[in-house]
């Protein structure tokens, strides 16, 4: 992959703030995106991710801050003069034009020569896996094909950055999976810069080089998928990306990233902190542990060293079983146990164990 | 809805009720159509009858009334005037109505309800009142009386229909089409000609047909503002005051034929267009 980290990132989002009347939709977001990078803006609806995307494409202007494409500011530049392409959630394929005419639209607006348009449209149809479908009407193609045409129509003008607004949302599960890998393949093949907006954490984890997890207009964490999943910076990130168990704790001592913490039952546990400013000893904090990191051991009595509880629910789901363990009246842990391991029985007492670096302070 | 014959086929044979109901339904529909079209059929029949004073029983078949109508220069002059006045009115109604509907459908602004009420009010104002007020108004500018006056009057009369037809079409228009076109490099003017205009074409055809026929046949307001120019309805009315000539039936038959052909052709075109582009909301 062609990732450069020089002074001019492909896209620079610099202290961007957006207010709708009195409501703050985006507050002081900073993201630098390198050429050829696949960055996902991930967050729940209303977190400001689509607003940010529309500011990059030019349909909205930031209240303050700057957006630069290849080093030059695009503030005040109308959408039709910006070198960005947007793939719409509803595809927005022109129903009065054929597949080929849709693909050719951007080139035609740029006054590309007719011969070159024909050649580029043909190449694009091949790359999208739609050879010979150029003369089809938009009403005659399937949802998955429409998705590809929408992608191709945006890519054919070779934009500085391709913006995708939940483009797979309308597809069914199987087709979505297929299009995820297809999108990634096309992005690698072209070395294009992609900014992808989604609320689907799994989609973000599968495709992105980096994920910006957004909440209430702010970026909570900007990191590669593995870091976002294994080393969440905040409890929101831990909760939004994947499933997690949360334990209220008090920090006893810090040693660099390593922490000793004590839970409400008096157990002394080890954990890691990846926050920019690690918590100070004595402060209240939260410990998060992913369900698949937890192993269960059958026991007969409560231990002083480890958390224990009784199994109160088991949900079998194919390759894994989710085992819910009641630790106290108001705390329930769940562990994801791979089939073949020892699955405990309901109301059995178990001890919960995990590797010390699997527990993260947020 | 299934046509009655199919639904009765699908119904169990032992029950006669649905058959009776559907038979009665068909009979009733036929009565309604007779009620609608009988007067028109009478005009067409009389146009081909050689009796100088139209009436029953029908005389022998003849085409002489058509020859007479076409040979009448004043009648032909009014036909031509009515045609081009209706045509200009249709173009004006579209070019004023479409931008107005775009603003009403896509922009939020203060006093929108008031604007709607003002646009729709010509429907409830009696045409007699519109005619008299336009006549008073044109006394300030007598040179506008005549064809220009009729065009202005008919544009104001039909604009409310035009705006409402465009408005309902544009409400269902996906704004992402416009945004996608802009995003791909189309300026606002190009978006209008490449996206908005082709996608509202069925509504434009509907408006042109409606406004054209309305203006072509409108009598009351045109009578007030026409001055010495006679549109076809005025010419017919004037000639009826002297004598009931069968050539009027002939000219009416020609007009019927032309407008019905036009309207059927437009319907077919719109159906084909819809099948081609699929549902716009998809």
């Amino acid at each position: 992959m062609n990732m450069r980290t020089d002074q001019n990132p492909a896209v620079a989002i610099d202290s961007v703030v957006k207010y709708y009347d009195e409501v703050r939709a985006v507050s002081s977001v900073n993201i630098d995106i390198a050429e050829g990078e696949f960055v996902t803006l991930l967050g729940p609806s209303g977190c400001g991710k689509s607003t940010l995307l529309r500011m990059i494409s030019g349909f909205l202007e930031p209240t303050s801050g700057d957006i630069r494409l290849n080093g030059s500011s695009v503030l005040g530049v109308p959408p039709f003069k910006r070198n960005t392409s947007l793939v719409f959630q509803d595809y927005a394929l022109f129903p009065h034009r054929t597949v080929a005419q849709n693909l050719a639209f951007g080139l035609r607006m740029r006054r590309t020569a007719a011969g070159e348009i024909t050649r580029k449209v043909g190449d694009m149809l091949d790359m999208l896996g739609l050879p010979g479908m150029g003369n089809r009407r938009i009403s005659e193609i399937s949802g998955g094909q429409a998705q590809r045409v929408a992608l191709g129509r945006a890519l054919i003008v070779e934009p500085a950055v391709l913006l995708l607004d939940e483009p797979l949302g309308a597809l069914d599960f199987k087709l979505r999976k297929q299009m995820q890998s297809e999108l990634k393949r096309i992005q690698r093949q072209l070395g294009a810069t992609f900014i992808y907006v989604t609320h689907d954490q799994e989609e973000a984890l599968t495709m992105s080089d980096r994920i910006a997890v957004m909440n209430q207009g702010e970026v909570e964490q900007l990191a590669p998928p593995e870091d976002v999943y294994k080393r969440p910076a905040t409890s929101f990130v831990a909760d939004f990306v994947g499933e997690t168990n949360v334990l209220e704790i008090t920090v006893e001592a810090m040693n660099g990233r390593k922490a000793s913490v004590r839970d409400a039952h008096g157990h002394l546990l080890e954990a890691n902190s990846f926050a920019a400013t690690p918590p100070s000893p004595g402060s209240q904090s939260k410990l998060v542990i992913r369900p698949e990191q937890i192993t269960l051991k059958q026991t007969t009595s409560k231990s002083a060293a480890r958390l224990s509880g009784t199994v109160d629910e088991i949900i079998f789901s194919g390759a894994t079983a989710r085992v819910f363990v009641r630790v106290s009246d108001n705390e329930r842990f769940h562990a994801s146990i791979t089939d073949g391991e020892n699955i405990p029985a309901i109301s059995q007492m178990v001890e919960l164990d995990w590797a010390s670096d699997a527990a993260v302070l947020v | 809805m299934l046509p009655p014959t199919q639904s009765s086929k699908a119904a169990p044979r032992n029950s006669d009720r649905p058959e009776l109901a559907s038979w009665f339904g068909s009979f009733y529909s036929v009565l309604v159509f007779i009620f609608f079209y009988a007067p028109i059929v009478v005009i067409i029949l009389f146009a081909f009858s050689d009796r100088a004073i139209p009436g029953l029983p029908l005389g022998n078949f003849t085409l002489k009334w058509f020859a007479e109508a076409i040979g009448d220069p004043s009648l032909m002059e009014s036909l031509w005037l009515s045609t081009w006045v209706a045509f200009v009115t249709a173009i004006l109604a579209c070019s004023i109505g479409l931008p107005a509907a775009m603003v009403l459908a896509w922009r939020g602004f203060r006093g929108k309800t008031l604007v709607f009420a003002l646009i729709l009010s010509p429907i409830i104002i009696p045409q007699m009142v519109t005619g008299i007020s336009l006549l008073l108004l044109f006394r300030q500018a007598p040179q506008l009386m005549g064809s220009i006056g009729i065009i202005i009057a008919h544009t104001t009369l039909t604009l409310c229909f035009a705006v409402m037809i465009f408005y309902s079409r544009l409400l269902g228009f996906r704004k992402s089409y416009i945004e996608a076109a802009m995003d791909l490099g189309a300026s606002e003017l190009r978006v209008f000609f490449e996206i908005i205009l082709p996608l509202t074409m069925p509504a434009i055809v509907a408006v042109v047909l409606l406004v054209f026929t309305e203006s072509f046949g409108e009598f009351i307001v045109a009578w007030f503002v026409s001055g010495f120019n006679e549109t076809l309805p005025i010419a017919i009315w004037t000639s009826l005051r002297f004598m009931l000539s069968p050539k009027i039936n002939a000219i009416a038959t020609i007009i019927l034929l032309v407008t019905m052909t036009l309207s059927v052709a437009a319907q077919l075109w719109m159906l084909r267009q819809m099948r081609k582009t699929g549902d716009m909301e998809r």
Side-chain angles (χ1 to χ4, degrees):
Chain A
M1 208 181 321
N2 172 22
M3 269 223 243
R4 293 185 313 181
T5 47
D6 54 4
Q7 274 86 354
N8 278 351
V11 183
I13 298 162
D14 187 358
S15 317
V16 164
V17 177
K18 178 67 184 176
Y19 277 87
Y20 289 119
D21 297 322
E22 297 296 299
V23 184
R24 194 173 59 189
V26 171
S27 50
S28 201
V29 166
N30 289 290
I31 305 174
D32 279 357
I33 296 161
E35 200 183 318
E37 200 180 6
F38 194 130
V39 171
T40 298
L41 308 177
L42 173 69
S45 55
C47 73
K49 57 191 194 298
S50 289
T51 302
L52 195 56
L53 202 71
R54 293 178 74 77
M55 285 193 284
I56 302 170
S57 57
F59 290 111
L60 289 173
E61 284 290 314
T63 309
S64 68
D66 196 11
I67 295 169
R68 287 183 296 273
L69 293 182
N70 293 324
S72 45
S73 173
V74 289
L75 291 192
V77 178
F80 53 88
K81 286 186 181 156
R82 282 193 197 193
N83 195 12
T84 59
S85 281
L86 182 55
V87 177
F88 289 78
Q89 194 171 6
D90 62 1
Y91 314 146
L93 294 174
F94 307 135
H96 59 302
R97 304 239 189 259
T98 62
V99 167
Q101 285 169 340
N102 266 280
L103 289 174
F105 191 86
L107 296 174
R108 218 154 50 74
M109 292 303 116
R110 284 163 176 74
R111 304 186 191 288
T112 310
E116 204 183 335
I117 292 181
T118 316
R119 186 180 58 76
K120 282 190 172 177
V121 167
D123 288 353
M124 188 51 82
L125 284 169
D126 288 343
M127 194 185 77
L128 299 170
L130 302 169
M133 300 205 33
N135 290 326
R136 293 277 183 97
R137 299 240 149 229
I138 296 306
S139 55
E140 294 167 351
I141 60 176
S142 71
Q145 288 167 338
Q147 217 292 316
R148 284 159 205 254
V149 176
L151 180 68
R153 186 178 68 174
L155 277 173
I156 204 164
V157 296
E158 292 164 23
V161 54
L162 187 77
L163 311 166
L164 302 103
D165 189 5
E166 310 216 14
L168 306 183
L171 301 179
D172 62 54
F173 180 77
K174 218 171 165 184
L175 206 51
R176 200 156 66 224
K177 290 274 152 213
Q178 192 189 330
M179 278 310 294
Q180 281 176 13
S181 51
E182 192 85 333
L183 261 177
K184 190 68 196 162
R185 173 185 71 79
I186 289 170
Q187 188 257 342
R188 283 222 187 89
Q189 188 179 331
L190 298 175
T193 313
F194 276 34
I195 301 180
Y196 190 98
V197 159
T198 184
H199 63 264
D200 182 338
Q201 45 100 10
E202 201 217 322
E203 211 165 272
L205 292 171
T206 339
M207 294 193 286
S208 322
D209 295 322
R210 280 191 302 162
I211 299 173
V213 186
M214 291 185 69
N215 184 32
Q216 296 183 338
E218 288 180 52
V219 175
E220 298 238 343
Q221 188 171 11
L222 174 60
E226 202 182 334
D227 282 11
V228 168
Y229 188 77
K230 289 190 175 159
R231 291 175 277 278
T234 66
S235 60
F236 175 81
V237 174
D239 192 45
F240 194 78
V241 182
E243 289 183 75
T244 196
N245 294 293
V246 180
L247 192 62
E248 304 276 347
I249 49 89
T250 312
V251 180
E252 293 270 306
M254 290 297 301
N255 178 16
R257 298 216 158 277
K258 299 268 172 214
S260 296
V261 301
R262 194 175 289 280
D263 72 5
H265 313 285
H267 301 109
L268 194 62
L269 307 165
E270 283 185 357
N272 297 283
S273 168
F274 299 100
T277 48
S280 51
S283 62
Q284 299 286 315
S285 188
K286 282 180 183 136
L287 193 71
V288 296
I289 309 129
R290 298 287 179 197
E292 68 275 15
Q293 301 283 355
I294 297 177
T295 53
L296 300 175
K297 205 173 86 190
Q298 300 183 7
T299 181
T300 46
S301 61
K302 290 220 174 217
S303 123
R306 303 220 165 272
L307 230 54
S308 56
T310 51
V311 175
D312 73 352
E313 197 180 353
I314 297 171
I315 298 172
F316 178 73
S317 58
T320 58
R322 282 148 56 89
V323 179
F324 291 82
V325 180
R326 186 156 296 284
V327 176
S328 71
D329 284 347
N330 50 11
E331 283 171 303
R332 205 157 88 130
F333 264 55
H334 72 275
S336 181
I337 308 290
T338 314
D339 194 22
E341 280 179 56
N342 230 349
I343 298 174
I346 296 268
S347 67
Q348 169 129 44
M349 184 169 258
V350 289
E351 225 174 60
L352 289 79
D353 196 7
W354 55 81
S356 67
D357 60 356
V360 179
L361 270 186
V362 291
Chain B
M1 279 277 277
L2 290 168
T5 47
Q6 269 191 341
S7 67
S8 64
K9 230 179 251 171
R13 275 268 150 227
N14 53 14
S15 145
D16 283 338
R17 280 241 173 106
E19 291 253 347
L20 190 70
S22 82
W23 180 86
F24 179 76
S26 316
F27 179 70
Y28 184 73
S29 314
V30 169
L31 279 186
V32 169
F33 279 116
I34 289 175
F35 180 76
F36 278 162
Y37 290 107
I40 295 171
V41 172
V42 167
I43 285 181
I44 296 172
L45 289 177
F46 286 173
F48 292 103
S49 157
D50 70 350
R51 291 183 56 167
I53 298 160
L56 289 170
L58 291 171
N60 295 321
F61 176 85
T62 178
L63 288 172
K64 73 173 171 186
W65 307 124
F66 287 88
E68 240 179 75
I70 292 165
D72 182 336
S74 78
L75 208 54
M76 284 300 110
E77 207 176 298
S78 341
L79 176 63
W80 170 240
L81 177 71
S82 280
T83 308
W84 78 259
V85 160
F87 189 68
V88 173
T89 304
I91 291 173
L92 279 179
C94 281
S95 39
I96 300 170
L98 184 57
M102 281 163 68
V103 173
L104 286 169
W106 293 340
R107 289 268 158 98
F109 57 89
R110 272 167 174 277
K112 201 173 187 172
T113 326
L114 182 70
V115 172
F116 259 116
L118 285 174
I119 286 173
L120 292 179
S121 59
I123 295 175
I124 54 159
I125 296 174
Q127 296 192 335
M128 189 67 89
V129 175
T130 313
I132 293 171
S133 45
L134 277 168
L135 183 65
L136 293 175
L137 191 68
F138 284 146
R139 279 172 68 184
Q140 307 304 314
Q143 68 275 19
L144 291 181
M145 293 281 275
S147 49
I148 295 178
I150 303 170
I151 289 171
I152 294 173
H154 283 177
T155 307
T156 42
L157 277 182
T158 54
L159 204 51
C160 49
F161 300 114
V163 170
M164 287 327 286
I165 291 174
F166 287 133
Y167 176 77
S168 61
R169 176 78 180 180
L170 292 179
L171 274 189
F173 196 102
R174 280 206 307 219
K175 281 181 100 176
S176 58
Y177 291 143
I178 296 170
E179 289 182 343
M182 283 186 105
D183 190 65
L184 290 164
S187 62
E188 297 196 23
L189 201 66
R190 294 205 81 170
V191 169
F192 181 79
F193 285 108
E194 299 268 356
I195 308 297
I196 298 172
L197 208 55
L199 286 178
T200 43
M201 201 43 92
I204 293 173
V205 172
V207 167
V208 166
L209 276 178
L210 190 76
V211 171
F212 186 91
T213 44
E214 173 69 16
S215 165
F216 194 85
E218 202 281 330
F219 170 71
I220 302 170
V221 179
W223 189 79
F224 277 103
V225 299
S226 59
F228 295 109
N229 295 284
E230 285 192 331
T231 61
L232 193 60
I234 298 172
I236 292 172
W237 184 76
T238 317
S239 78
L240 286 181
R241 286 166 71 196
F242 302 111
M243 64 168 286
L244 195 66
S245 167
K247 67 181 176 190
I248 300 302
N249 293 333
I251 196 104
T253 304
I254 295 172
I255 290 161
L256 257 174
L257 206 73
V258 171
T259 47
M260 281 180 99
T261 312
L262 270 179
S263 132
V264 169
Q267 296 276 355
L268 289 176
W269 177 82
M270 274 193 263
L271 276 178
R272 220 189 89 213
Q273 205 66 10
M274 254 187 260
R275 219 169 301 140
K276 250 192 339 194
T277 55
D279 186 6
M280 244 189 33
E281 319 288 318
R282 195 172 92 100

